Amino acid sequence: MAMLSHTTEPVGSESLEKWESVGSGGFGHVYKARHRDWGFDVAIKLLHDGVGFYSSAPIHKEKALAEEASHMDKVSCEFVLRVYGLYEGIPPLGGLAMQKGIVMEFMGGGSVQALLQDLSGPPPWPLVFRLAHQVALGMNFLHSRNLMHHDLKPSNVLLNDEFNAKLADFGLSRVSTSALNSNNEMTGEAGGTYKYMPPEAFEASYEPVRAFDRYSYGILLWSIVTGKEPYPMAHSSLVALRIPEGDRPPCKEINHREAEGLEELVDLMKLCWDQNPSKRPTFKECLEVTEKVFSKHKKEIHGAVHLVLTRLESHTRYQHLNTRVPFSFSPETPESSKSHETMDHVRVT
Ligand code: ATP
């Protein structure tokens, strides 16, 4: 495949064992497998579902795959998902056809979207502040390398076993199947992406710039703080109409007294989703706020992670995670975690 000209040698099926299905998205299917030589688990995102021959993978997807691979050299950052290389082979699950895909770091904690769903609300405050900070760190790194994400949303922020965040899909997201119409034009409707798109992006002549990601970050902060999906009942065409008119998710339910630094984070969120792109702060500026507010809760992070693991231990998705109390954790529930538990919308099954 001439398009995939990256120097990394493709990973073939013979190098991988113990395949398990993880889930599907707009781009294809994701599997988990153990790399025989490396001895650890990796995630493999396949381009299509294995129906037909591999030449049937749409050109825009192959292009995106090549783009993602070429970003590998530019991005090596703790807060951006690591891509190990390309996959080419016949996977034991998912059909008999030759398939192409991308081999990535496996993230045992799932996505922020899944976490909010499984907790039926936001995580404890220390984790909220850490997620806000780690996403800003990853985005600042991407922007400093002249890369934009363009699909920053809770399902594209993945979590490791300790719920540390890494950005995913910054190459693939721009052309995921559902975001392309039959003419391969961007429609913006990629699994809720409209809701994270800035007002100016709904104009026909729009060329994406960094301010796009800054807006998405504002909406993402709202989702993490409230544990909710923005505009849950609204049809995408209504969202596309109202965002340019200035509609934003509601902030009146957020009680600033719940946690130290929350007011500053909410102020940052509102600046990020400003109607005027030039007023949105850079990620470097966001970091000044997120670092400061996270520092107020840093000591309680182990307790907060443990609390989340305990709440989620009955969910199959998290059963492989270690729910033992970290040695550095004092068994009392941290004050700032308790306060978030008392919010109405935190109902954990
Ligand atoms: P979209 O098409 O809008 O991006 P999505 O992000 O859910 O949707 P995928 O990125 O294809 O779609 O992910 C499908 C599933 O696989 C999701 O549940 C996601 O959390 C999971 N997943 C994706 N990448 C990894 C990874 N590297 N490690 C662990 N799980 C992953």
Side-chain angles (χ1 to χ4, degrees):
M1 184 165 78
M3 221 174 292
L4 301 181
S5 57
H6 197 266
T7 47
T8 311
E9 227 169 81
V11 176
S13 295
E14 66 292 345
S15 315
L16 300 166
E17 60 181 357
K18 298 181 185 164
W19 287 68
E20 282 171 43
S21 171
V22 176
S24 281
F27 206 85
H29 199 90
V30 176
Y31 296 90
K32 170 186 172 183
R34 169 67 52 99
H35 194 288
R36 289 180 208 272
D37 297 333
W38 302 340
F40 57 82
D41 292 335
V42 293
I44 306 111
K45 185 179 274 196
L46 297 181
L47 280 181
H48 66 129
D49 58 12
V51 178
F53 296 102
Y54 81 12
S55 56
S56 67
I59 288 297
H60 70 266
K61 286 187 172 186
E62 290 194 11
K63 260 192 182 158
L65 193 72
E67 194 182 338
E68 181 81 355
S70 75
H71 288 158
M72 287 159 58
D73 293 337
K74 286 190 185 173
V75 182
S76 173
C77 168
E78 199 185 330
F79 307 104
V80 178
L81 190 76
R82 205 155 161 203
V83 176
Y84 298 119
L86 302 170
Y87 170 84
E88 200 166 330
I90 302 175
L93 306 172
L96 296 169
M98 191 74 164
Q99 293 188 55
K100 290 168 187 168
I102 195 155
V103 182
M104 308 167 282
E105 185 175 1
F106 178 73
M107 299 292 278
S111 68
V112 167
Q113 184 187 36
L115 182 74
L116 302 179
Q117 260 166 23
D118 295 339
L119 286 172
S120 307
W125 289 118
L127 203 49
V128 167
F129 289 113
R130 189 174 73 177
L131 289 173
H133 186 46
Q134 291 178 331
V135 172
L137 284 165
M139 284 307 308
N140 185 51
F141 188 85
L142 287 186
H143 281 193
S144 75
R145 290 286 187 276
N146 226 9
L147 291 165
M148 284 173 273
H149 194 295
H150 295 159
D151 202 15
L152 183 59
K153 58 182 178 178
S155 66
N156 285 338
V157 178
L158 298 182
L159 302 166
N160 72 5
D161 290 4
E162 287 86 37
F163 300 111
N164 284 295
K166 297 193 187 211
L167 302 173
D169 270 3
F170 66 94
L172 304 180
S173 56
R174 266 166 278 175
V175 280
S176 80
T177 314
S178 47
L180 288 162
N181 64 19
S182 53
N183 299 319
N184 279 0
E185 291 159 346
M186 190 80 174
T187 65
E189 185 53 307
T193 300
Y194 261 171
K195 298 174 177 183
Y196 294 83
M197 268 170 60
E200 65 276 11
F202 294 91
E203 288 163 22
S205 58
Y206 178 70
E207 291 279 332
V209 290
R210 285 182 173 86
F212 186 118
D213 288 337
R214 292 170 192 153
Y215 177 93
S216 308
Y217 179 66
I219 307 290
L220 179 89
L221 283 181
W222 182 89
S223 294
I224 296 172
V225 164
T226 62
K228 294 178 182 171
E229 173 74 10
Y231 332 107
M233 308 308 279
H235 187 270
S236 52
S237 52
L238 186 67
V239 174
L241 210 69
R242 300 296 294 271
I243 292 174
E245 283 175 9
D247 266 22
R248 298 293 184 270
C251 291
K252 57 180 185 305
E253 277 177 38
I254 304 172
N255 180 355
H256 295 162
R257 279 169 300 181
E258 287 272 353
E260 206 186 344
L262 181 57
E263 190 169 4
E264 283 155 280
L265 196 68
V266 172
D267 288 344
L268 178 69
M269 168 198 303
K270 291 177 181 167
L271 280 176
C272 287
W273 71 36
D274 199 289
Q275 191 79 359
N276 181 346
S278 63
K279 288 200 178 152
R280 297 174 201 151
T282 64
F283 280 103
K284 188 91 195 305
E285 288 162 340
C286 292
L287 284 178
E288 286 170 27
V289 177
T290 58
E291 184 167 24
K292 185 171 152 221
V293 295
F294 174 47
S295 71
K296 297 177 197 293
H297 299 268
K298 216 171 188 168
K299 282 205 298 264
E300 293 145 359
I301 194 68
H302 293 300
V305 168
H306 177 68
L307 193 64
V308 171
L309 286 170
T310 312
R311 286 172 177 181
L312 296 174
E313 64 192 353
S314 59
H315 283 261
T316 40
R317 198 202 302 275
Y318 305 95
Q319 262 160 14
H320 61 288
L321 300 181
N322 184 0
T323 56
R324 276 180 302 131
V325 180
F327 64 89
S328 54
F329 166 58
S330 123
E332 289 152 47
T333 305
E335 283 310 311
S336 57
S337 303
K338 275 186 201 159
S339 64
H340 215 169
E341 264 185 302
T342 59
M343 288 176 79
D344 281 354
H345 51 268
V346 183
R347 300 231 196 291
V348 181
T349 48

